[in-house]
Amino acid sequence: MTCDEARILLHALLDNELDAGHAREVEAHVAGCPNCTVELAAQREMQRVLADTNLRYTAPASLRSRIEASLPQAQRQQPSRRAVLRGFAMGSAVSALAASGVVAVVLRQDDQQRILSEVVSAHLRSLQAGHLTDVVSTDQHTVKPWFNGKLDVAPPVIDLTAQGFTLVGGRLDYIDARAIGAVVYKRRQHVINLFVSQTASTEHRPPKTQSMQGFNCRRWGDRGLNFWAVSDLGADELAEFVDKFDAAMKANVEG
Amino acid sequence: MPATDDVQKAQRFREAALPHLDDVYTLARYLLRDASDAEDAVQECYLRALKHFDSYRGPAMKPWLFAILRNVCNAEYARRAHRPTPIEDTPGAAEQTPLWQETEANPETEVLRSRDAGAIRKLIDTLAEPFKETFVLREINNLSYREIAEAVGVPVGTVMSRLARARAMLRAAWMAGEEQAR
Ligand SMILES: [Zn+2]
């Protein structure tokens, strides 16, 4: 073995990359060669110092998150929609929704007036004897599951008895040729129908009251749902109902 | 919205590739000698790696990532008009660096004084390519000779001679620094 060969192979020796036969050859040369002995010792010394020094760099956290963010993520729905689903629509309704795909009710602006008249008609029908409720219960835990499987998305059912609006039951109704959930409340002897339908729009639409045929209708949109609250209550009390409902729903979703 | 298998693929990729982020970033820092260029290169490296993850057959993830990073860095070298030297095996002045300094005058092994990491990093930065790359892959990224050969795309014998030269050059620079300090 020449010194030139040994000067290369002694690194492989230091790095434990040589098989036993070549290792013995290199060691034999070094043992008989003062120059290579010095070189091996010097390189061993340098390797030791290098091993004792942290020469690595640490990737900044911002880089890590940038890379994380660029990877395809697990299906991310609109947070608002997901929050609503977590909040009230469980079990079969969610499965049915997932299986069928979201069939959204998209309302065109010029349809609003026609929808309003249908909502008021549905309210009037519900006031006929025996038509108000399909499920009669003041317990939201009874009313809520009843909707599951009957609609793509079950409506939020929130007990507002403590806030002065008594939950009396739920009903399937038809608005715009679609099945829609109606949650029924009473204040004193006044009936409130809360119609809820799904919509493609997730934007928040602030509540707005309109009157038709002597009824007040307050409608709004939130978290991918359209709401119509209809009653012969005065506009003030209906607005109060909507405020209480909205607050309870926010608490429900966030809690 | 990404398909489910894309998400699963991303998850497998995340588990296989992200643990090596510091290693990849370390190599990028030494190759590019600039923190922000290194970040960009590493991000690009991971994007390309994900894209080609289907064709990845293993066994070792690290050399595979390093091979991708090298390509990204070579593109960066090409972009840098003022530094148009790609990593390739071009015989240059560095190749003429003797493998050892004559030591007859001083047969005692000189003990290298410990230096702080910053000073040693600077010394490593002065190494010419492709020697620096080989040195970092072995000494800092802890790749075996075979893995370095795989990442760089050269025979193991070339890895050995480059590494020997890199260490000889580094030691020479180190000793020169100590001479100046005296
Ligand atoms: Zn020798």
Side-chain angles (χ1 to χ4, degrees), chain A residues 2-4 6-7 29-30 33-37:
Chain A
T2 67
C3 282
D4 278 339
R7 292 296 162 106
H29 172 90
V30 169
C33 174
N35 286 345
C36 287
T37 300

Side-chain angles (χ1 to χ4, degrees), chain A residues 102-116:
Chain A
V102 177
V103 185
V105 181
V106 185
L107 300 175
R108 291 193 306 277
Q109 201 56 40
D110 47 297
D111 279 340
Q112 292 294 350
Q113 205 60 20
R114 180 175 56 79
I115 299 293
L116 177 64

Side-chain angles (χ1 to χ4, degrees), chain A residues 19-126:
Chain A
D19 61 37
H22 284 94
R24 268 197 302 276
E25 274 187 56
V26 176
E27 282 163 350
H29 172 90
V30 169
C33 174
N35 286 345
C36 287
T37 300
V38 169
E39 182 64 15
L40 180 62
Q43 287 298 339
R44 181 173 281 136
E45 166 71 4
M46 188 170 81
Q47 201 173 40
R48 190 188 60 73
V49 175
L50 290 173
D52 286 345
T53 313
N54 179 20
L55 298 172
R56 294 169 57 82
Y57 290 92
T58 304
S62 59
L63 174 61
R64 193 176 290 271
S65 32
R66 264 201 289 161
I67 291 171
E68 282 277 3
S70 69
L71 299 176
Q73 303 292 311
Q75 191 163 318
R76 254 193 297 199
Q77 294 177 324
Q78 294 282 351
S80 55
R81 171 67 53 82
R82 189 172 56 180
V84 168
L85 291 178
R86 190 184 63 225
F88 66 84
M90 339 71 63
S92 55
V94 175
S95 320
L97 175 67
S100 66
V102 177
V103 185
V105 181
V106 185
L107 300 175
R108 291 193 306 277
Q109 201 56 40
D110 47 297
D111 279 340
Q112 292 294 350
Q113 205 60 20
R114 180 175 56 79
I115 299 293
L116 177 64
S117 109
E118 287 203 28
V119 165
V120 171
S121 298
H123 178 76
L124 272 170
R125 275 199 309 274
S126 77

Side-chain angles (χ1 to χ4, degrees), chain A residues 4 7 9 11-12 15 17 35 38 42-43 45 47 54-60 66 68 73 75, chain B residues 1 7 14 18 22-23 25-26 29-30 39 43 100 104 107 111 117 121 144-145 160 163 167 171:
Chain A
D4 278 339
R7 292 296 162 106
L9 288 172
H11 292 280
D15 292 328
E17 290 268 354
N35 286 345
V38 169
Q43 287 298 339
E45 166 71 4
Q47 201 173 40
N54 179 20
L55 298 172
R56 294 169 57 82
Y57 290 92
T58 304
R66 264 201 289 161
E68 282 277 3
Q73 303 292 311
Q75 191 163 318
Chain B
M1 199 163 283
V7 172
R14 191 177 282 117
L18 272 184
D22 284 345
D23 271 300
Y25 180 69
T26 294
R29 281 294 296 267
Y30 281 107
E39 281 194 45
Q43 185 170 16
W100 68 91
E104 281 88 348
V111 176
R121 285 173 182 176
S144 71
Y145 287 9
M160 289 171 72
L163 184 61
R167 285 174 172 164
R171 187 172 159 81

Side-chain angles (χ1 to χ4, degrees), chain A residues 153-167:
Chain A
V153 171
V157 180
I158 300 170
D159 186 4
L160 295 172
T161 305
Q163 287 91 336
F165 301 92
T166 309
L167 176 68

